[in-house]
Amino acid sequence: MTPKRSGEVVPSAPKRKKAVMCLMEKIRVLDKLRSGMSCSAVGREFNVNESTIRYIKKKEKEIRRSVREAAPESAKVTSIVREEAMEKMEKRLNLWIHEMTTDKKGVVDSIVVRLKAKEIYGHVTQGQKNVKPFSASAGWLARFKRRYGVNNVKLAGEASSADREAAEEFKKHLLSVIQDKGYVEEQVFNADETGLFYKDVGKRTYITQMACKAPGFKSFQDYATLLLCTNAKGDFKCKPLMVYRAQNPQALKGKSVNHMPVHWRWNKKAWMTSSWFHNCFVPEVECYLQGRNLAFKVLLILDNAPVHCCEELKNAHPNVEVLFMPPNTTSLIQPLDQGIIKAFKAHYTRELYSKGFQALESNKETTMMDYWKSVTICNVIDYVGTAWGSIKQATINSCWKNVWPDCVQNFEGFEGVAESIKNSVENIMHIARQISGEGFDDMKEEDVEEILAEKAVEPTNEDLDEMAKQGIGVGSDEDGDDSQPKTSRIDPLTATKISEWNSALERIFNDMIECDPMLDRSLKFKRLTSTAFAPYAEMLKDLRQKTKQTRLTQLFEPVWEGKSPTPSTSHERQTPEVELPNVDMLPSSSSAE
């Protein structure tokens, strides 16, 4: 008799979960197939059906085109092939958002983003037939933000409570890391980038008004990007990194880029590069800590801007730990954003104004417009070095109070960062009134504040096309040879030239001592100037010594072809001009600290 079936249900084999492959994974599949692997072998490796692999192979052309047009962020999360125009538009829109938020440290309104998306879509589809309509709906924006991981696009009036909560959580995490690893104030650093419109004298001044009317005027031509870095104690400031749009400006012709108050880099649109970490930050900090007899272990705090190449820097150096702040918290807790950058720009603007006033005083025929036109990137580098060196330790240390309160010290006579910046603003206004002219005579505090504020350069659609074509942008890492400094031919110094300088100084000293009734003042000037000239005096001494040695060895030259050396005439015995080694091989004598 057949036994009765049990009422229990036998569990069936678990159904395999459907695998959804992103476009980048599909590219890997296609590359495997191109290498000669069979569809079945590739399917086993990726744990998908052979039919799926065959379908991907069938769509190879569309998949590769979509990945080529899309940004890497989108290709990692998108699984379907999307229209070429949409991929192009979103890639450019993502670059635009990065450009508009990196320098301003802020967010862009969702309505503005949607309008910009429609504008870019119209640009990329210009001249095409049968273009599908695009409305830039709220649903599309939400999907776009997920695809690209965009966190700095918000609805108008959206509350920032989440940002404050994230900032508080980061502060707790930072304190635990500092305590667990035993970091001290000298070993904790913060770095941040800022844009500098280095010829900005105020939009209400007649200088700006006239410049804007000039044909071909573009504000970003007078723009550079700076990366500033300092430690929590405030006693060490790294040499600023300056990224300029041109490789070899005429003003720097014949100058050694390795001996400047800044680290010089360039690329076409003055975007930041990450080579600063390896080539500038690590060597400088290691030298500083050795001088303090401290262990070379460093905690570097950065915001999450794409320019910092987060993934690359996490394990970039065994002695440097990098922490990234949560999105949209820099205005709340980042030390450089709490007043250091603003103080730097105030000092820079004061230097720009002071040099202009000095130019007017030294030559009554010179106008402020003449001075403004004469300012070159060489002058800017000088002003940047002076301004960065003017930031006091108390200012830097006090700006860490929002993220690490325990490290803040009490400095005698220091009234606070806000008061210090206010004094600088008043100083700028005072100099402006001395310069005089429309916009200078009645310069107000809000005019100076507008100069010091963070501003972004909005790229045009043509700029976005170029950025997308080259695969670069704010988030790119241009560490190749093209962005590295290349020194043009440098004419070496000679003993004759240094002797001329020395003679000119002696004439100035004698004239000042003779004409100045206050002898102590002229002697002090002579003493200080002679001390500053000491490196050149040492070079002159070495060159003369080499000249003597050369003349002595000439007496022992061998006689060739039976000819004996003949005495030289008086004009042949003159001291030859000996060239100095290339100045790139000499130790730096300039520092921003």
Side-chain angles (χ1 to χ4, degrees):
M1 185 176 178
T2 305
K4 294 182 179 180
R5 292 184 179 180
S6 172
E8 297 179 0
V9 179
V10 179
S12 60
K15 189 175 181 180
R16 184 165 63 178
K17 187 177 181 181
K18 183 179 180 181
V20 179
M21 305 177 72
C22 68
L23 292 178
M24 292 302 293
E25 289 178 321
K26 291 178 180 179
I27 290 293
R28 290 173 55 204
V29 167
L30 293 171
D31 290 340
K32 294 283 186 181
L33 293 173
R34 279 192 174 184
S35 68
M37 292 181 64
S38 64
C39 292
S40 58
V42 175
R44 287 193 297 271
E45 181 173 334
F46 285 87
N47 196 27
V48 295
N49 293 330
E50 183 180 342
S51 59
T52 302
I53 301 299
R54 293 187 181 280
Y55 181 79
I56 293 175
K57 183 179 181 180
K58 182 180 178 182
K59 296 291 184 180
E60 178 175 5
K61 184 178 179 180
E62 292 86 345
I63 292 172
R64 291 192 181 277
R65 189 271 306 161
S66 184
V67 172
R68 184 175 60 252
E69 296 297 341
E73 301 95 327
S74 174
K76 290 178 181 178
V77 297
T78 305
S79 59
I80 61 173
V81 176
R82 306 173 67 236
E83 291 187 20
E84 182 177 359
M86 289 295 295
E87 294 286 12
K88 287 184 176 181
M89 180 274 293
E90 291 189 355
K91 185 176 184 178
R92 287 157 176 74
L93 181 64
N94 185 47
L95 291 169
W96 178 83
I97 292 172
H98 285 163
E99 286 289 311
M100 296 305 295
T101 57
T102 298
D103 285 336
K104 294 193 294 183
K105 311 287 189 285
V107 298
V108 287
D109 182 65
S110 61
I111 297 177
V112 176
V113 173
R114 291 164 65 181
L115 291 173
K116 186 65 180 180
K118 294 182 70 174
E119 177 189 333
I120 297 175
Y121 186 78
H123 172 72
V124 299
T125 58
Q126 188 174 9
Q128 297 181 10
K129 297 180 180 180
N130 302 321
V131 177
K132 290 187 177 181
F134 171 64
S135 61
S137 64
W140 162 83
L141 179 60
R143 294 189 294 274
F144 166 78
K145 291 172 64 175
R146 286 196 299 270
R147 279 193 290 271
Y148 285 85
V150 177
N151 298 309
N152 41 15
V153 176
K154 292 191 173 184
L155 297 175
E158 186 174 351
S160 60
S161 59
D163 299 339
R164 295 188 179 278
E165 291 175 4
E168 290 299 323
E169 288 298 321
F170 178 80
K171 286 171 60 177
K172 294 177 182 177
H173 175 62
L174 173 64
L175 294 178
S176 66
V177 170
I178 291 174
Q179 292 172 1
D180 294 344
K181 304 292 180 65
Y183 292 112
V184 294
E185 290 90 342
E186 291 89 344
Q187 298 170 324
V188 182
F189 287 78
N190 176 228
D192 192 23
E193 70 283 341
T194 183
L196 179 67
F197 288 87
Y198 52 80
K199 293 178 75 170
D200 188 1
V201 292
K203 63 182 181 181
R204 288 202 310 113
T205 63
Y206 75 92
I207 301 293
T208 304
Q209 297 294 328
M210 293 176 65
C212 291
K213 295 177 182 177
F217 171 77
K218 294 182 179 180
S219 62
F220 62 78
Q221 289 180 340
D222 301 326
Y223 179 86
T225 310
L226 294 172
L227 185 67
L228 306 177
C229 180
T230 183
N231 65 355
K233 191 174 182 65
D235 66 336
F236 180 74
K237 301 187 290 286
C238 294
K239 183 188 290 188
L241 171 72
M242 175 179 281
V243 184
Y244 191 58
R245 59 184 171 80
Q247 181 180 11
N248 295 311
Q250 181 65 28
L252 297 182
K253 185 178 180 180
K255 299 291 188 294
S256 169
V257 296
N258 296 323
H259 295 82
M260 293 182 179
V262 299
H263 294 294
W264 176 264
R265 295 290 185 274
W266 82 279
N267 54 48
K268 195 169 184 181
K269 292 293 180 182
W271 295 311
M272 294 303 299
T273 64
S274 67
S275 65
W276 165 84
F277 177 85
H278 301 283
N279 301 326
C280 307
F281 175 75
V282 170
E284 285 187 46
V285 173
E286 184 175 10
C287 182
Y288 158 74
L289 292 176
Q290 286 178 353
R292 297 285 179 178
N293 293 321
L294 292 171
F296 178 40
K297 63 173 186 177
V298 176
L299 178 63
L300 176 61
I301 304 172
L302 301 172
D303 60 33
N304 69 333
V307 294
H308 296 145
C309 306
C310 303
E311 292 299 325
E312 179 187 342
L313 292 181
K314 281 183 179 178
N315 301 301
H317 195 281
N319 298 99
V320 181
E321 181 177 1
V322 183
L323 286 184
F324 294 96
M325 289 179 287
N328 307 321
T329 59
T330 58
S331 61
L332 301 174
I333 57 176
Q334 177 153 252
L336 278 158
D337 277 347
Q338 304 309 307
I340 299 175
I341 290 178
K342 189 174 182 179
F344 160 76
K345 290 189 175 182
H347 285 297
Y348 176 87
T349 305
R350 184 188 63 188
E351 192 72 12
L352 181 67
Y353 272 52
S354 297
K355 297 298 183 182
F357 179 68
Q358 291 174 15
L360 299 181
E361 286 291 294
S362 61
N363 188 349
K364 297 300 181 182
E365 295 182 359
T366 300
T367 65
M368 188 62 182
M369 178 61 81
D370 294 333
Y371 162 74
W372 184 83
K373 290 180 178 179
S374 70
V375 174
T376 66
I377 193 64
C378 186
N379 303 123
V380 172
I381 291 172
D382 178 25
Y383 302 165
V384 167
T386 302
W388 187 232
S390 300
I391 306 296
K392 297 180 180 179
Q393 179 180 355
T395 299
I396 296 172
N397 179 253
S398 63
C399 288
W400 285 76
K401 64 181 180 180
N402 286 1
V403 70
W404 189 12
D406 295 341
C407 78
V408 178
Q409 308 172 28
N410 291 322
F411 290 87
E412 185 178 353
F414 181 65
E415 299 177 348
V417 179
E419 191 65 27
S420 175
I421 295 175
K422 183 179 179 182
N423 292 336
S424 297
V425 170
E426 292 175 352
N427 197 349
I428 294 169
M429 293 165 58
H430 176 70
I431 300 173
R433 296 188 184 105
Q434 290 181 298
I435 293 173
S436 73
E438 183 181 350
F440 292 103
D441 289 328
D442 58 345
M443 181 163 286
K444 301 175 183 177
E445 185 175 341
E446 50 265 32
D447 296 325
V448 181
E449 290 288 345
E450 191 272 335
I451 297 175
L452 306 184
E454 291 283 355
K455 296 183 284 289
V457 181
E458 181 173 4
T460 64
N461 288 329
E462 289 72 21
D463 293 333
L464 294 174
D465 288 340
E466 184 178 350
M467 293 160 66
K469 181 180 179 181
Q470 297 179 3
I472 57 177
V474 180
S476 66
D477 179 13
E478 290 195 340
D479 290 337
D481 295 336
D482 289 342
S483 65
Q484 297 299 320
K486 295 181 180 179
T487 305
S488 56
R489 184 185 182 280
I490 299 174
D491 294 330
L493 290 174
T494 62
T496 302
K497 177 59 68 176
I498 299 177
S499 296
E500 291 176 0
W501 296 346
N502 189 54
S503 300
L505 282 176
E506 286 296 330
R507 290 194 296 271
I508 293 172
F509 293 155
N510 295 333
D511 191 45
M512 292 184 71
I513 292 173
E514 181 179 349
C515 299
D516 192 346
M518 299 178 64
L519 183 61
D520 58 343
R521 181 170 59 191
S522 57
L523 291 176
K524 181 180 180 181
F525 173 82
K526 179 179 179 180
R527 184 172 61 254
L528 294 175
T529 307
S530 298
T531 301
F533 192 75
Y536 295 103
E538 189 67 27
M539 289 183 189
L540 182 59
K541 180 180 177 181
D542 293 341
L543 285 172
R544 286 173 174 170
Q545 185 65 30
K546 290 179 180 179
T547 302
K548 291 179 181 179
Q549 292 173 356
T550 303
R551 289 166 60 187
L552 183 62
T553 56
Q554 288 175 351
L555 298 176
F556 301 97
E557 290 181 352
V559 178
W560 298 100
E561 298 180 358
K563 297 181 181 179
S564 60
T566 57
S568 59
T569 60
S570 59
H571 71 272
E572 290 174 334
R573 289 197 299 268
Q574 292 177 353
T575 302
E577 210 170 72
V578 181
E579 293 187 347
L580 278 173
N582 190 310
V583 293
D584 280 341
M585 303 300 294
L586 299 173
S588 174
S589 60
S590 62
S591 175
E593 286 79 32

